[in-house]
Structure formats: structure tokens, C-alpha cells
Amino acid sequence: MKRVRLPTTVWALGIVSLLTDVSSELVHALLPLLLAGPLGASMVMIGLIEGAAEATASIVKLFSGALSDRIGRRKPLVVAGYGLSALTKLVFPLVNGAGFMLGARLLDRLGKGIRGAPRDALIADVTPPEQRGAAYGLRQSLDTVGAVIGPLGAMGLMAWLLDARAALWFAAIPGLLAVLVLLVYVREPEQHAAEKKVQLSLREWRALDAAVWRVVGLAFLLNLARFGEGFLVIRMRDAGFGEGMAPLALVLMSLAFTLTAYPVGWWADRISRRALLLTGAILLVVADLVFAFVPGRTGAAIGVLLWGVHLGFTQGLMSAMLSDAAPKALRGTAFGVFHLLGGIALLVASLAAGALWQWHGATMMFLAAAAVATLAAAALRGAPGQPD
């Protein structure tokens, strides 16, 4: 079978995601330790910050996705979102309290919200249907390469500077490079930009059919079984890695994510996507049980790796399924609804995780997460298969 090259815009968006994640994960590797340490935030507060930040991004994605459908353009919103996130990295070194941290995280995730749905819709616009699993898998893999480099950079900067605030200033550099790559190399399809601008309102989500809502519902359940990744950093610290090595949680998770996302996406273009999603949900159950019952560094490291593999089996695949199910004129809106409900689920999950950890301990939190993930796996088992 002849191998067809993925569009240049898909590769460029992957590089943009890589550079942005280097920037973001450098910051995120240090923030949970600052919150739980010098800033004295409770686990509930950490859960609030983690969940509220992602929920903010998800709410904004609803509006930006619908707006990209209305104006018939994706790239201007993608540029605005990545640009805002890059500039926000200059705020984090100035954080001096949990409340300030919440505000900075919300501003950063606002940028993510502006770019997310239009970017995902743009990938579908430029990619043939038979390559979309691979396209979303590639972007997700490159994104997570950045998520490996970012925490490694954080650890290196901490070893060099011995000052988290000084290290945080470096996060703006890859973020600004990402905007440059986006401006120069990402091209929007001429036929899309020249199309008649669809006059949509935010109420157009009501026109989405059952196939779209089925994918959105499955994503909601999977997100309800997850929680903010800052908890993984704290779990690594408490398992004996210490504050200096705790960001290794994000490195291991992202490495596992990177190595699985593209192969799973390629595979999903050829076999049942439901089976792959079910595998991802089961991996999440196993990861939570390892966190709960396997002590010490070994349990923490294995749990983080399994968590990353679960992401590789689910994240890009859900986007590919949604792009196939959504009509072209409502594709941005569909991704907006998808991200909105996923963010609400993640907010609820993160708040519940923080409360359970603070009042009943980490083991109870991971057991509760495993129970919800089991429900998600059961729902996936009963869902109709996705056509190839």
C-alpha cells in the first residue's frame, strides 16, 4: 500500500504544540511544588486550581470553535491563543500566593481555550478522512515530546539556578518560537477561507447529531475518571523522589504518551476504534490501582507510565472520532462542545480528588478514580463500534 504523507500544516501544528508544551510543562512541573510547599496551598486548593484552569480552557473552546465556524477562518484564533499563552509565561515568575497562581493559570488556559477547537478543526480541514487518526496521533505525539522536554528543562534549570522563580522566566522562549512557526508555516485551506461564512449562533450545538453526542459522552466519562496531573507530581514527591526529582512524573508520563499516541492513531485508521478506547480505559483503571497498592518509587513510576500509555490510547483517538462524526460546517462548534464538557468533568474530578486526598488520603482518592474509570470502560464496552 502506498504511503501518503501527512499535510505540512499538520506537521507544523505538531511542532507548534511541541514548543508550546516545552514552555507550559516547564511551568507546570514547578507550580505544584510551589503550591504544596512555599505557598502553603491545601490539596483542595490545588485541585481547584488544576480543575478550574482546565475548565476555563474548555469553556472558551466552545466559543472559539463556534466563532471559527461563523467567520470561516481558523488560523487567526489559533495565533491569538498561542500568542496569549506565550505572553502569560512572563506572569508566572511573579506569583506570590495561591490566589495569584489561580489567576495566572486561568489566563494561561484562556489562551489554550482560544486555540484548541479551531486548531483541532483545522487539522480535520486539511487532512483526508482516511488519515485523520494518524494526523491527530502525530500532533499529540509531538505535543507530548514537548511535555517530556519541559520537565527535564525544569529540573536542569533548578539544578543550575537553585531558584524556581528564576527558572520560570525561561518558559517564555519556546512559547514565542511556537508563535513564529505558526505564523510562517501553518496554512489554512483556500477553499475553507473562501467558503461562504456560515451564519451560526452558539445554539447551533443543538443541530449536532447523535453520533457527535455519543463521542462527547464517552469523552465526558473518561475525563470524569481523571484529575489534574499536578497530583501525579505530588505523588512522586511523596513516594520518595523528593522535590528535585518530582517533575520526573511528567517526563515519564509524557514519554509513554509520546511513544503510543501516533502508533495508536495509525492503528485506529485500520481497526475498531472502540476496542482501542476500551484498552485505554482499562489502562487507566490499572494505573490507579498501582498508585493505590504498589508502594514507594516503583509504584509511583509504574503508575505514571501506565497513565501516559492510557492517554496515548484515548486523547488523539477521541479527536479523530469527533472529526469524522461532525458535519464540516459545525466542526469547530462540535470540538467546542467536546472540550467544554470534558473540562467540566475534569474540574469535578480534580476537586473531588483534592478533597479525597486531603480528608481520606491518597489511596482512597486513587481507588475512587479507579471505580469511575471502570464505569467508563463499561460504557465503552456497550457503545457501538466506530467504523474504519
Side-chain angles (χ1 to χ4, degrees):
M1 183 176 68
K2 183 179 178 180
R3 186 174 180 179
V4 182
R5 178 183 171 85
L6 289 172
T8 300
T9 289
V10 173
W11 282 94
L13 286 171
I15 297 299
V16 169
S17 292
L18 186 156
L19 290 168
T20 300
D21 241 39
V22 171
S23 175
S24 295
E25 296 304 326
L26 192 157
V27 172
H28 298 163
L30 300 174
L31 295 191
L33 301 176
L34 287 174
L35 284 166
L39 298 183
S42 68
M43 296 304 294
V44 173
M45 185 62 182
I46 292 172
L48 174 63
I49 291 172
E50 290 282 329
E54 295 304 325
T56 296
S58 300
I59 292 170
V60 176
K61 284 175 185 177
L62 175 63
F63 289 86
S64 65
L67 182 60
S68 75
D69 287 335
R70 176 186 289 272
I71 66 176
R73 297 292 303 275
R74 317 284 192 199
K75 184 175 176 179
L77 291 167
V78 177
V79 172
Y82 279 108
L84 178 59
S85 290
L87 293 175
T88 304
K89 299 305 187 294
L90 298 172
V91 176
F92 285 106
L94 305 175
V95 167
N96 59 8
F100 194 175
M101 180 74 78
L102 175 60
R105 283 280 281 148
L106 292 178
L107 188 61
D108 180 48
R109 297 297 87 178
L110 177 64
K112 180 179 179 180
I114 292 171
R115 71 184 183 247
R119 179 203 62 212
D120 290 344
L122 178 57
I123 291 174
D125 292 340
V126 301
T127 307
E130 65 273 12
Q131 288 186 292
R132 285 177 185 159
Y136 285 107
L138 174 68
R139 192 209 68 81
Q140 198 71 68
S141 288
L142 290 174
D143 181 274
T144 49
V145 168
V148 172
I149 297 172
L152 287 174
M155 289 189 288
L157 288 168
M158 283 294 292
W160 173 37
L161 300 170
L162 302 176
D163 185 343
R165 295 186 191 280
L168 286 170
W169 288 109
F170 286 83
I173 298 173
L176 294 172
L177 286 175
V179 176
L180 180 62
V181 172
L182 177 59
L183 289 170
V184 174
Y185 292 104
V186 171
R187 294 286 181 267
E188 190 157 14
E190 291 182 9
Q191 63 270 25
H192 180 70
E195 279 174 353
K196 176 186 175 183
K197 297 176 183 178
V198 184
Q199 296 302 312
L200 298 174
S201 71
L202 293 180
R203 294 182 179 179
E204 287 296 327
W205 61 266
R206 296 177 181 174
L208 300 174
D209 61 21
V212 173
W213 286 109
R214 187 159 51 243
V215 176
V216 169
L218 292 174
F220 180 86
L221 279 175
L222 283 171
N223 278 297
L224 201 60
R226 294 172 51 209
F227 42 78
E229 290 154 7
F231 289 107
L232 302 183
V233 177
I234 297 172
R235 176 69 172 86
M236 289 284 277
R237 182 200 67 180
D238 293 349
F241 283 90
E243 298 215 348
M245 292 295 293
L248 187 62
L250 300 182
V251 176
L252 294 175
M253 180 197 74
S254 300
L255 183 61
F257 194 171
T258 299
L259 293 175
T260 54
Y262 180 70
V264 168
W266 182 89
W267 203 6
D269 289 331
R270 290 156 178 81
I271 67 170
S272 168
R273 293 175 177 177
R274 179 173 64 93
L276 293 172
L277 277 175
L278 179 59
T279 301
I282 292 171
L283 285 166
L284 180 56
V285 175
V286 176
D288 286 326
L289 293 176
V290 169
F291 280 131
F293 294 120
V294 181
R297 295 186 176 189
T298 300
I302 293 174
V304 165
L305 285 170
L306 288 169
W307 186 282
V309 176
H310 132 261
L311 291 174
F313 268 84
T314 58
Q315 299 305 290
L317 188 51
M318 295 299 301
S319 295
M321 290 172 65
L322 186 67
S323 70
D324 289 342
K328 185 176 182 180
L330 290 174
R331 193 172 281 151
T333 303
F335 272 105
V337 172
F338 171 82
H339 289 301
L340 170 64
L341 294 181
I344 291 172
L346 189 57
L347 170 60
V348 172
S350 294
L351 283 172
L356 283 169
W357 190 320
Q358 180 167 329
W359 293 318
H360 299 286
T363 298
M364 181 60 69
M365 185 202 80
F366 287 116
L367 288 176
V372 179
T374 300
L375 292 176
L380 280 165
R381 184 180 176 87
Q386 184 75 9
D388 294 337

